[in-house]
């Protein structure tokens, strides 16, 4: 089609992508073109602004390697990752869900740990945490034999694979739910931490006057055949960044009840006050159990 005027460009491109043999890809490509063209008509970028936008995309690519995924971080920081998460969980987005972002720090082979055991695998200064999780199905029945993989940042705000001071697999463990659908473990209270700010996403946060912090959280992945794998996080209530999580990951049901204890008998002889307890319940949905690909190498 010969372009006569600005308005013709959209129909010309839509006609071109309509030849795509894969129906789903055709739908996605068509919607992408329609929305991109509508965006351009709305903001009417100057040529200099357009070049800046393209350079921003190119910088995202250049900042990405096996150890870092700036494309995901960009999607996280503009709320797109959470949107994708919420429309793919909770009965296809129809109901509330316990799902949340996987984040970049999950590792496939977390150490199997006995129920009630500790995931503190080297001296890790910070307040002790005693967590009890219950896993139920949509009807409220306990789910026995589910694998519950837990990982978290230290009280200094670092995952073990970012921090040479921590032992391999520190603050990671894999548990199996008992007949009541429960697991329990000892850890330390996690701290919040900033996402990387030395790339284009950091520049974007700075020009938008946004801080780079995630509120403190525990990551949880629950896997059992017959159920959709639940990837989620439990947030520390009262964290100063709960309402302004840089990646918009906090939903109401995921704010944990971290209780501070100062008096009474500590749960173990080596525990100094204050210590924390956390009880949290997760609901898993019927569906396909599949593990994600580890986000970074
Ligand atoms: C995390 O929770 O580990 C995370 C999620 C998104 C971006 C960066 C970190
Ligand atoms: Fe995290």
């Amino acid at each position: 089609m010969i372009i006569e005027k600005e308005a013709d460009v959209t129909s010309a491109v839509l006609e071109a992508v309509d030849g795509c043999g894969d129906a789903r890809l055709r739908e996605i490509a068509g919607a992408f073109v329609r929305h991109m063209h509508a965006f351009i008509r709305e903001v009417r970028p100057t040529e200099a602004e357009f070049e800046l936008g393209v350079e921003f995309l190119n910088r995202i690519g250049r900042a990405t390697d096996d150890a870092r995924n700036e494309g995901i971080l960009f999607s996280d920081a503009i709320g797109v990752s959470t949107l994708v998460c919420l429309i793919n969980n909770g009965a296809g987005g129809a109901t509330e869900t316990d799902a949340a972002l996987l984040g970049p720090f999950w590792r496939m082979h977390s150490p199997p740990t006995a129920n009630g055991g500790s995931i503190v695998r080297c001296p890790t200064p910070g307040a002790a945490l005693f967590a009890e999780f219950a896993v139920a199905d949509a009807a409220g029945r306990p789910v026995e034999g589910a694998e519950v993989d837990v990982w978290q940042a230290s009280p200094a705000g670092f995952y073990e694979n970012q921090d040479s001071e921590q032992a391999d697999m520190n603050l990671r463990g894999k548990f199996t739910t008992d007949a009541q659908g429960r697991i329990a473990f000892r850890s330390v209270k996690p701290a919040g931490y900033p996402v990387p700010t030395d790339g284009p996403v950091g520049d974007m946060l700075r020009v938008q006057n946004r801080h780079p912090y995630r509120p403190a959280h525990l990551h949880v992945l629950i896997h059992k055949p017959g159920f959709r794998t639940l990837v989620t996080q439990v947030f520390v209530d009262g964290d100063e960044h709960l309402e302004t999580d840089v990646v918009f990951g906090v939903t109401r049901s995921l704010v944990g009840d971290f209780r501070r204890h100062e008096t009474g008998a500590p749960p173990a002889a080596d525990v100094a006050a204050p210590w924390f307890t956390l009880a949290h319940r997760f609901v898993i949905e019927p569906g396909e159990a599949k593990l994600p690909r580890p986000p970074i190498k």
Side-chain angles (χ1 to χ4, degrees):
M1 164 177 177
I2 305 280
I3 313 288
E4 309 280 355
K5 54 189 181 312
E6 178 230 286
D8 295 345
V9 181
T10 306
S11 22
V13 182
L14 285 174
E15 209 177 292
V17 301
D18 211 33
C20 180
D22 181 298
R24 175 65 176 155
L25 210 51
R26 191 162 61 240
E27 181 188 358
I28 292 172
F32 182 77
V33 168
R34 277 188 283 107
H35 286 270
M36 273 308 284
H37 285 217
F39 165 72
I40 293 298
R41 288 199 170 89
E42 180 182 331
V43 301
R44 303 189 74 78
T46 63
E47 282 159 335
E49 285 166 343
F50 173 63
E51 277 168 29
L52 206 70
V54 170
E55 179 53 15
F56 183 74
L57 278 184
N58 291 342
R59 286 181 62 209
I60 288 175
R62 287 198 297 269
T64 297
D65 57 26
D66 281 354
R68 173 165 177 168
N69 192 328
E70 194 80 0
I72 293 273
L73 185 61
F74 176 57
S75 307
D76 295 345
I78 60 168
V80 165
S81 306
T82 289
L83 196 53
V84 171
C85 171
L86 299 187
I87 62 180
N88 279 284
N89 291 281
T95 66
E96 203 181 316
T97 174
D98 281 348
L101 304 178
L102 177 69
F105 300 111
W106 179 67
R107 290 179 67 184
M108 177 78 92
H109 302 292
S110 196
T113 309
N115 239 329
S118 177
I119 61 171
V120 183
R121 303 182 194 280
C122 66
T124 310
L129 171 68
F130 294 85
E132 259 190 48
F133 291 165
V135 181
D137 67 14
R141 289 178 298 236
V143 176
E144 183 180 5
E147 252 184 18
V148 181
D149 193 347
V150 178
W151 68 106
Q152 64 167 93
S154 70
F158 297 109
Y159 291 83
E160 55 71 41
N161 47 349
Q162 298 178 291
D163 182 5
S164 59
E165 308 271 292
Q166 293 182 55
D168 188 41
M169 294 291 180
N170 191 40
L171 307 183
R172 296 177 188 269
K174 200 180 282 177
F175 301 84
T176 304
T177 54
D178 65 15
Q180 281 74 49
R182 291 184 184 276
I183 66 149
F185 63 95
R186 176 173 173 173
S187 187
V188 281
K189 191 172 176 237
Y193 55 85
V195 298
T197 55
D198 57 345
V201 173
D203 289 344
M204 180 187 82
L205 295 175
R206 279 183 289 275
V207 297
Q208 294 175 350
N209 287 318
R210 291 166 60 186
H211 72 71
Y213 283 89
R214 297 225 59 211
H217 55 275
L218 299 172
H219 288 267
V220 183
L221 185 153
I222 303 177
H223 180 268
K224 171 158 178 158
F227 293 91
R228 190 178 166 80
T229 301
L230 179 68
V231 174
T232 191
Q233 307 185 9
V234 183
F235 295 91
V236 174
D237 48 338
D239 187 288
E240 61 176 316
H241 298 121
L242 218 47
E243 306 253 352
T244 59
D245 180 5
V246 63
V247 302
F248 306 95
V250 184
T251 58
R252 190 77 59 200
S253 66
L254 298 180
V255 179
D257 181 14
F258 285 73
R259 295 202 182 169
R260 183 184 167 100
H261 304 268
E262 310 242 12
T263 55
D270 61 337
V271 173
W275 71 92
F276 289 80
T277 54
L278 166 70
H280 201 88
R281 183 171 176 275
F282 301 93
V283 176
I284 56 177
E285 307 171 32
E288 192 188 353
K290 58 174 189 206
L291 289 176
R293 260 191 321 159
I296 58 173
K297 292 209 177 97

